[in-house]
Amino acid sequence: MKWIFFDLDDTLWNFSANSAVALGKLYEISPILRKLFKDLAEFREIYHANNSLLWDLYARGKVSTRDLKVERWRRTLATRQFEVLTAVCEELDRTYLDILAEGEEKFPGMEEMLQRLSKKALIAILSNGFSKTQYKKLQFSGLWRYVARTIVSEEIGINKPNPKLFEYAIQETGATPPFIMVGDHADTDILGAMKAGWHAIWFNPSGKPFPFTPEDLEKQGVCPSLYLGSASTPDQIESLIPSI
């Protein structure tokens, strides 16, 4: 059987919705956060800015897993001139990730699509993320039922878009061409996969224009035909997958 590789966060599993809930619960139970930030909206805005920056650095191999987990909290609290111990940052991160992992919000129709695809192909997760948290997300959401193999960057120390992660995925699964990646991030998921010689489908519910023209791709040594298209719904993802 053929393999189809999916990103997890904001592709199969609705990270944005689940994270919003988790941050809200964290704010409610954390005296430090309630003291330093006037309301949940202010806290979320500042946290998201720092978290996004650090995830970008993480994807490029500029910071370690531990640094990401600690610094996103340290920098957020530092905006309020609050000096915080590393142990406090680690506790905030543990609590947040524990709440987050229990989120069950998926994109409408995504589970049904996986159910159909898993009858004719093997489904793999290829995720940048933290191993413990990603496995718990699959468990609590029920998505594990359709997944034959889960590959998380933290386990091997290589992040998307590094081509070595895509090579590792092929070796681990024994997948044969065509290799297909479905993900929401145009750079790490889509361009990363195409640079590794994979076909790619961009899950793009907001309908943004694809940021790379065929000329852009060719300049980077990427064959434009590897891009299979943009999909705003699970049905559209399914329609773009080559016959299997």
Side-chain angles (χ1 to χ4, degrees):
M1 293 179 75
K2 294 293 184 183
W3 286 84
I4 304 172
F5 295 81
F6 285 86
D7 178 51
L8 180 58
D9 292 334
D10 277 335
T11 299
L12 298 179
W13 190 81
N14 194 335
F15 176 85
S16 297
N18 288 313
S19 178
V21 171
L23 289 171
K25 291 181 178 178
L26 181 66
Y27 182 82
E28 290 175 5
I29 64 176
S30 172
I32 292 176
L33 297 180
R34 293 199 309 276
K35 177 182 178 181
L36 295 178
F37 300 96
K38 65 181 181 181
D39 55 30
L40 174 59
E42 181 184 59
F43 161 61
R44 276 183 182 156
E45 180 181 1
I46 294 170
Y47 168 81
H48 281 311
N50 287 292
N51 187 52
S52 296
L53 174 63
L54 283 157
W55 269 104
D56 180 63
L57 293 173
Y58 181 72
R60 293 189 281 127
K62 301 296 184 180
V63 298
S64 67
T65 298
R66 184 177 183 277
D67 287 342
L68 190 163
K69 289 182 173 184
V70 170
E71 284 302 312
R72 58 184 177 180
W73 301 103
R74 192 191 309 279
R75 295 185 186 190
T76 296
L77 299 180
T79 63
R80 295 299 177 265
Q81 288 75 51
F82 185 77
E83 293 295 330
V84 61
L85 297 174
T86 297
V88 174
C89 294
E90 291 173 339
E91 180 59 29
L92 283 169
D93 201 69
R94 275 194 299 270
T95 304
Y96 165 68
L97 290 177
D98 284 344
I99 299 170
L100 176 68
E102 296 182 6
E104 299 180 8
E105 188 68 31
K106 294 159 284 194
F107 291 98
M110 197 63 78
E111 186 168 359
E112 291 79 4
M113 179 202 70
L114 287 180
Q115 192 173 27
R116 293 190 296 271
L117 289 177
S118 65
K119 293 177 181 177
K120 51 188 178 180
L122 294 167
I123 305 298
I125 299 296
L126 187 56
S127 170
N128 282 0
F130 310 133
S131 301
K132 178 182 176 182
T133 306
Q134 300 305 74
Y135 286 111
K136 285 181 68 176
K137 289 174 184 176
L138 290 169
Q139 176 187 353
F140 278 95
S141 66
L143 292 172
W144 64 270
R145 298 183 183 93
Y146 315 104
V147 177
R149 182 72 169 86
T150 301
I151 298 170
V152 184
S153 63
E154 185 185 32
E155 294 178 333
I156 56 175
I158 306 171
N159 301 316
K160 293 177 290 184
N162 192 323
K164 291 182 179 178
L165 184 60
F166 295 94
E167 294 168 10
Y168 177 88
I170 294 170
Q171 293 168 3
E172 281 294 297
T173 60
T176 57
F179 309 115
I180 302 167
M181 179 74 203
V182 182
D184 70 291
H185 201 289
D187 288 300
T188 56
D189 294 323
I190 306 308
L191 185 59
M194 293 169 67
K195 283 186 173 180
W198 291 32
H199 288 84
I201 297 170
W202 188 28
F203 181 52
N204 176 30
S206 60
K208 297 176 183 176
F210 190 55
F212 307 106
T213 66
E215 292 75 21
D216 293 333
L217 295 174
E218 289 175 346
K219 287 178 182 177
Q220 298 189 57
V222 174
C223 177
S225 64
L226 291 173
Y227 179 58
L228 298 177
S230 170
S232 60
T233 66
D235 286 345
Q236 289 179 4
I237 291 174
E238 198 169 358
S239 71
L240 290 170
I241 293 173
S243 299
I244 49 177

